[in-house]
Structure formats: structure tokens, C-alpha cells
Amino acid sequence: MSEFPKTMKAVVMHAPEDYRLEDIAVPVPGADELLMKVEAVGVCASDLKCYHGASKFWGDENRDRWVEPGITPGHEFVGEIVAGSPEALELHGVQVGDRIACEQIVPCGECMYCQRGWYWMCGPHDMFGFKHYNGAMAEYMIVPPLARAHKVGKSVPAHHAAFAEPLSCSLHAVERAQLTFDDVVVVAGSGPIGLGAIIGAVHKNPKMVIALDFDDHKLELAKKCGADLTLNPSKVDVYEEIRNLTGGYGADVYIECTGHPSAVGQGLNLLRKLGRYVEYSVFKENTSVDWSIISDDKELDVLGAHLGPHCWPAAIKMIESGSLPLDDICTHQFGLGEVQEALDKVGDSAGASVKVSIVPGR
């Protein structure tokens, strides 16, 4: 470790709304660990919820607040492997100098979910930047042996490469929808997850992909991501528009990526009978709908989606292809010392940001 500095800058969580940039020791990798030099880390809406204290949003005082004192946040990251034992390098199939991104979850490998192959639903559910494992809002971080690492080409700008995590999540939501060539697909929300869902849906080649958002700028970006039609619910009657397009029946698939309670009822009403509803969002407050729409009225398939299992290779391939409008998606980059500005930018719904990132070397 003599070739590395002894200390580094890192964001450390102390309590809700108490995140501090500190000088801490550069971590020393164990025999089965790797040391990564962080190149970029995206700031997720869940990072903002964590910052404010998740209990404010869940309405359940028994749930964890996510902020684990002493942990460094950041789960959407990419970086260069700078140290590791031969055993650790072999375990992950990498070499010193390789660039990798890691899945957000660090599965235990032992619980029922892991044993059955459902690692993304791991019982302990330890995650980078939230629980147990330090995240990437630091100059260096440890890649533990149970991490799921994926190589990323070095020709991709770092803040673009870090988009692999949200894109893989979006692709998983699309996979859950089981799209067919005849489907009319509605994606609610054109933020980072919604745009990724549009990209994923377009790659499945359904009959039509329709994007909904209240922000015309984001709808223009949805078009760049391949949406066939964009609709602003504040300007048009989306129910009438979509029924007219579908012979009065409604959409085949609705993928909810806004996290706003009103989007849930909207989706149930937009779908045809026997349609498919996919929910990806994490909500700030309890959401209530008329469940008879799901059962007696339409017999809908309602599916959840969590993380991005098995979708990372596809997400990375799309990013490496250079075909995605990532300069338009990855709108703002900040240094480590600007973490508050980055969080504020994510929380500014009236701002022009889409994907906000922190670049430690900036």
C-alpha cells in the first residue's frame, strides 16, 4: 500500500441531513478484497431519501432510516482496480488496471433467496452506501469478495459508465413486463429510471413506446431515447389519446417510474383488461388505489421490480456502444466537496438536471 496516499477524502454519514466530508484512512484490502480508485458515482433519488431519513417517507417508524452512522454513501459507481491479491483478482476475474462497476447489492450467498438464485432479494440485503458496506462517495473504496463486479470499457467517460447501475435497474423493470411485438407500452416518468425503461423497451421492439412526463424538456430527451410518442398530462388527456391509439382498449403495458402516488391510479386506468403493470419506484408516502380495478374490472398482472439482476451485461453493452444520448442524460457533475450541491440538484424538481454524478477527481 506504500504507493497510495495514507488518507483520502470521503463523505461520511453521521445522521439524517448530517453528511460530512472528512479525511479518513485509505482502506487496506484484505486477502480476499480489492481496492478501487473511484472514478465517478451517480447520485440516486434513494440517496436523497437516505439523506433526509427514510422514516420520514415510509410512514412506518419501525423501518430503518437507512442512514448508518460511519458509512460512506454512493452505489452507482465505476472505478479502477488499483490493488488486490492474486486470489481476490481471480475471484472477480479482473486484473489491476481494469475498470469495473459493481451491483448495488452485496448478497450473502447463504439465505434462501441467494440459495434459490434470487440474489437481488437477499435476506440480509447489505448494500453499498446504505448498509454494512462503504459506498463510492470517496476517493477509494473496498470491493468485498461477495460483490458482483462487471468490467466496463475505459473509452467510456466515467460519469457515463456509472449510469450502468440505474440502466440495469430499468432493464430489469422492462424484463418483468414480458414485452411482445404487439404491445403498446407506456412509461410514466422520464427521469433516469424512466429514460432507461424507454431505452430497454425500445430494444424489445414493441408496437409503440409512449413516454409520459410533465416536463417537456425531459419528453424531448425521451424521444432521443427512442420513444415513439411523448405526452404531457398537463397539456393533453392521456387517457383519451391512448384509447384512441388502441381502438378504445388501452395500453398493454404500463411501467411506473415516477414515484408519485397519482401515477399508480393513472396506470391502472390506462391499461386494457388483462394488461401488465410494472412498479419500479420507491414512494415518499403511502399510496392507495381502487383494487377492484386490478381484480374484478380488468384482471391485471401487477409486478414489482427491484435492482437490476442479470441485466448488467446488457446495460454495459448499450453504454459502450455509444448509441445512447448520455451527454444529455448525465447532465451535472460535482466534486466530492460539493456533495450538498449534488443532493440539492437531485431534489430540485424544477431544475434541468437528469442524472447527477460526483467525480472525486474533479
Side-chain angles (χ1 to χ4, degrees):
M1 291 289 294
S2 59
E3 67 269 32
F4 304 110
K6 293 183 179 180
T7 62
M8 66 176 185
K9 298 288 186 183
V11 177
V12 180
M13 301 190 290
H14 288 267
E17 301 183 0
D18 184 7
Y19 285 23
R20 307 174 196 173
L21 183 66
E22 298 180 357
D23 288 303
I24 64 174
V26 173
V28 178
D32 55 358
E33 297 175 332
L34 302 174
L35 182 66
M36 168 192 287
K37 184 175 183 180
V38 178
E39 296 180 37
V41 53
V43 184
C44 178
S46 63
D47 289 315
L48 185 63
K49 292 181 176 74
C50 180
Y51 172 76
H52 286 298
S55 62
K56 293 182 181 179
F57 298 98
W58 292 112
D60 183 351
E61 294 302 323
N62 294 320
R63 292 195 68 149
D64 291 336
R65 294 197 300 176
W66 291 3
V67 176
E68 187 172 336
I71 292 290
T72 291
H75 61 276
E76 301 178 3
F77 60 84
V78 66
E80 180 184 352
I81 299 303
V82 294
S85 69
E87 294 77 15
L89 293 167
E90 182 179 4
L91 176 64
H92 290 289
V94 298
Q95 299 177 353
V96 171
D98 283 347
R99 171 193 265 183
I100 65 168
C102 292
E103 299 191 27
Q104 175 182 351
I105 193 158
V106 184
C108 71
E110 297 178 355
C111 69
M112 179 192 74
Y113 300 103
C114 288
Q115 289 295 308
R116 293 188 182 184
W118 305 326
Y119 72 90
W120 65 101
M121 298 304 297
C122 172
H125 227 70
D126 291 336
M127 298 186 291
F128 285 112
F130 291 110
K131 184 180 177 186
H132 193 76
Y133 293 100
N134 283 316
M137 292 187 189
E139 294 178 291
Y140 294 88
M141 66 177 289
I142 291 291
V143 178
L146 293 173
R148 300 179 68 89
H150 302 270
K151 292 183 183 179
V152 185
K154 290 191 172 183
S155 63
V156 180
H159 59 292
H160 291 184
F163 192 66
E165 196 279 340
L167 181 56
S168 69
C169 292
S170 302
L171 298 186
H172 178 51
V174 171
E175 290 279 70
R176 292 283 281 163
Q178 304 172 54
L179 301 189
T180 71
F181 296 130
D182 289 330
D183 283 336
V184 172
V185 182
V186 176
V187 178
S190 295
I193 296 296
L195 293 172
I198 292 164
I199 290 166
V202 168
H203 276 74
K204 294 288 188 179
N205 201 31
K207 181 185 293 183
M208 178 177 287
V209 177
I210 302 170
L212 307 182
D213 204 283
F214 288 94
D215 186 326
D216 286 334
H217 170 73
K218 289 182 178 176
L219 289 176
E220 285 299 317
L221 188 48
K223 289 180 183 178
K224 292 183 180 181
C225 290
D228 299 296
L229 177 66
T230 60
L231 298 174
N232 186 327
S234 69
K235 297 182 178 180
V236 300
D237 185 334
V238 295
Y239 304 100
E240 181 179 358
E241 294 286 337
I242 290 171
R243 289 189 181 113
N244 288 340
L245 287 167
T246 58
Y249 290 103
D252 301 282
V253 175
Y254 181 88
I255 304 176
E256 201 290 301
C257 302
T258 73
H260 194 282
S262 65
V264 179
Q266 172 183 259
L268 298 180
N269 287 315
L270 284 175
L271 284 169
R272 62 162 168 81
K273 295 179 181 180
L274 302 174
R276 301 185 297 286
Y277 179 110
V278 178
E279 182 59 66
Y280 189 85
S281 297
V282 176
F283 290 88
K284 295 180 180 179
E285 54 202 64
N286 292 335
T287 300
S288 179
V289 296
D290 180 358
W291 278 71
S292 62
I293 299 172
I294 298 168
S295 56
D296 188 56
D297 291 358
K298 294 186 177 181
E299 195 176 322
L300 301 176
D301 289 336
V302 178
L303 303 161
H306 176 59
L307 303 185
H310 309 301
C311 294
W312 281 74
I316 291 169
K317 182 178 180 180
M318 290 178 188
I319 290 171
E320 290 177 338
S321 74
S323 63
L324 306 183
L326 290 174
D327 282 333
D328 296 310
I329 294 173
C330 301
T331 52
H332 292 78
Q333 295 81 51
F334 295 90
L336 270 177
E338 302 170 303
V339 64
Q340 187 63 57
E341 291 93 326
L343 289 164
D344 291 344
K345 183 63 70 174
V346 173
D348 182 10
S349 59
S353 69
V354 181
K355 182 74 253 178
V356 175
S357 302
I358 290 174
V359 181
R362 185 181 175 89

